[in-house]
Amino acid sequence: MRSGRTYTAVAVGCVFLLGACGPADGTGAGQPPRTKLAEAPASLPVPRGEGSKVPDDFNGDGHRDLVLDDLVKAQSHADDAGIGIVYGGPRGLAPGARQLLSPKKQAAPAEGRLPALFDAEDSCDLDGDGFTDLIVSTDPPYDGQGRPPVPLQILFGSPSGLTGRGVKLTVPARARFGNDWPDQPVCGDFDGDGEKDLVLHATGGRLSYLRGPFSRQGVPRAAGAPLPSPGEMPAGPATDVDKDGYDDLVVRATEGTGKAAVVLGGPTGPARTGALLPSGVDVALGRFGRGRALDAAVGGMGGTSLCYDLPVPAGRVTLAAAGSMLDAADFDGDGRDELLSSGSRLRVFRAATAGFSTHNAVTVIPRAPGTTRVLAAADFDGDGRADLVVRTYRGETQDTVAVYEGTAKGLLVTKPAVAFSTSEFLEP
């Protein structure tokens, strides 16, 4: 999942994407202001759900929830605080309905020891019960001899959200290759059977492929020999690039700057190489405006390459704008995705039928003390338009998270709909 980054917000004063300052229509005029976390009760109950197909809906109430990794600490040298969950509601994220997932309370012990590392990796409904599950990485004991243990655990969703302890993910020996850690999970329905699968890092140009559904003990329905791949670093989120009913994913050749490829799903899983992408630091897939197919944006410090109409690119252009971190989302609901490029500053390229250019980019969040990053770009209020969640991280003990709403005129950044600090998750 792309939500493991460290982030927050600075107020900006205009509706970007259109570049026009002032309020946008359709943003809930006349409704009471939303409750900020600092003003909310210490805890609100997690709404109970009955199951849904909404992504990242851990309590199954039909509203998307937010995962927060790298929470700030009470003291700079304190242990990792854990993972925060903000549950959604009819009007979007409701920060009062929040949950702290900590190794002490939620992790499964390994050899009698609780992990110190507890990081969110990806999320999907692995057991097919209508409640999203969260895959987390841990640090089980390892003496360096032979194959390392599986570091991944699953926290299963329920009508009350993510409850109970995690279970260790089972990766059968036949599905592993080499002696690397089986990590970097990517969820998707890669074989088109309607159930969520997992792809993991192996080594030697291989990927481990686990077919869902998964049991409540973390065991996949099936797992065969590792699949040959143009790389061994899977990257999410998975999506059906060529609209053939099978999810596809990006696989990078190496960490850092390097080449990547789109690997296509099929009846035997993600076993076919589609587009070979240029070298870069990050890749985002989206519908950027030239055709009906998905496109790829490959970001690097020297510019951002755009490859149109995957899986076999029909055209390529390069933006004279660095893109060390990329995301794609449709903020105005027109069916085309905007491209978010962040790093030293956050810029948004507005989609158009002619594609992108540097002329339709707007710097939406200026430089500010601390580090500002995109945390999530997704539809949290159910209006069909993506919202932007950003985090400004000013140190180990101070941050701000803000949610800006997508509207028919673009992204409204005059005032965040919700603003809070991850320090609110700290246990007393």
Side-chain angles (χ1 to χ4, degrees):
M1 70 201 298
R2 301 175 80 92
S3 59
R5 301 174 178 169
T6 306
Y7 322 132
T8 281
V10 180
V12 187
C14 58
V15 179
F16 70 82
L17 301 187
L18 295 180
C21 292
D25 295 334
T27 58
Q31 296 180 358
R34 296 188 184 179
T35 302
K36 292 186 179 181
L37 186 58
E39 302 165 354
S43 179
L44 295 176
V46 173
R48 289 186 63 85
E50 297 180 354
S52 81
K53 294 185 179 297
V54 173
D56 291 340
D57 184 8
F58 302 108
N59 58 334
D61 66 345
H63 305 295
R64 192 168 191 144
D65 310 317
L66 175 68
V67 179
L68 293 162
D69 232 336
D70 299 318
L71 305 179
V72 297
K73 305 173 182 179
Q75 299 176 347
S76 59
H77 298 294
D79 292 337
D80 184 357
I83 302 167
I85 306 294
V86 177
Y87 287 90
R91 300 180 61 221
L93 293 172
R98 60 188 184 272
Q99 181 183 17
L100 174 64
L101 307 174
S102 67
K104 180 179 180 180
K105 294 183 178 180
Q106 274 79 30
E111 297 183 11
R113 192 187 79 182
L114 289 172
L117 178 71
F118 204 60
D119 291 336
E121 293 289 347
D122 205 349
S123 59
C124 60
D125 184 5
L126 289 173
D127 59 351
D129 65 351
F131 302 93
T132 303
D133 311 309
L134 183 66
I135 303 102
V136 300
S137 60
T138 66
D139 55 346
Y142 175 54
D143 62 6
Q145 303 297 314
R147 281 182 171 174
V150 178
L152 301 174
Q153 298 186 12
I154 303 170
L155 299 176
F156 286 100
S158 75
S160 301
L162 294 167
T163 59
R165 286 200 177 270
V167 300
K168 299 173 186 177
L169 175 69
T170 296
V171 182
R174 62 182 176 276
R176 298 184 63 172
F177 189 87
N179 288 335
D180 278 3
W181 292 86
D183 55 10
Q184 302 178 54
V186 176
C187 287
D189 180 11
F190 301 107
D191 57 6
D193 67 351
E195 304 290 348
K196 294 297 184 181
D197 315 311
L198 283 178
V199 169
L200 308 177
H201 163 74
T203 189
R206 302 288 198 281
L207 297 173
S208 294
Y209 173 50
L210 311 180
R211 291 179 183 254
F214 290 71
S215 75
R216 299 290 291 206
Q217 290 73 45
V219 180
R221 175 177 60 86
L227 299 176
S229 172
E232 54 194 56
M233 314 293 285
T239 186
D240 186 0
V241 169
D242 51 0
K243 304 304 178 187
D244 63 351
Y246 306 99
D247 278 346
D248 315 307
L249 76 159
V250 172
V251 177
R252 299 177 57 79
T254 182
E255 289 187 285
T257 302
K259 293 184 179 180
V262 176
V263 175
L264 303 175
T268 59
R272 297 176 296 139
T273 299
L276 297 175
L277 303 176
S279 182
V281 180
D282 198 11
V283 179
L285 302 178
R287 184 168 288 103
F288 296 136
R290 284 196 168 185
R292 297 179 61 186
L294 290 189
D295 314 306
V298 182
M301 299 313 297
T304 299
S305 297
L306 293 155
C307 301
Y308 290 101
D309 295 339
L310 299 177
V312 180
R316 175 179 169 185
V317 299
T318 300
L319 298 174
S324 58
M325 296 182 183
L326 300 176
D327 292 271
D330 181 6
F331 295 113
D332 55 9
D334 67 352
R336 294 188 293 265
D337 291 322
E338 280 71 53
L339 175 66
L340 291 88
S341 174
S342 60
S344 60
R345 56 179 175 168
L346 196 159
R347 298 203 291 180
V348 172
F349 295 87
R350 190 183 182 196
T353 55
F356 293 117
S357 76
T358 53
H359 300 295
N360 57 8
V362 178
T363 300
V364 297
I365 296 181
R367 297 177 188 272
T371 303
T372 299
R373 293 286 185 268
V374 173
L375 180 57
D379 182 10
F380 289 99
D381 55 12
D383 65 354
R385 296 181 285 263
D387 310 301
L388 179 66
V389 184
V390 292
R391 177 181 179 187
T392 300
Y393 185 76
R394 296 186 178 88
E396 290 185 284
T397 62
Q398 185 180 6
D399 74 347
T400 307
V401 176
V403 182
Y404 296 102
E405 294 180 308
T407 76
K409 291 186 176 181
L411 197 62
L412 179 66
V413 293
T414 51
K415 183 179 180 181
V418 176
F420 59 92
S421 170
T422 67
S423 63
E424 301 293 338
F425 288 86
L426 299 181
E427 294 180 328

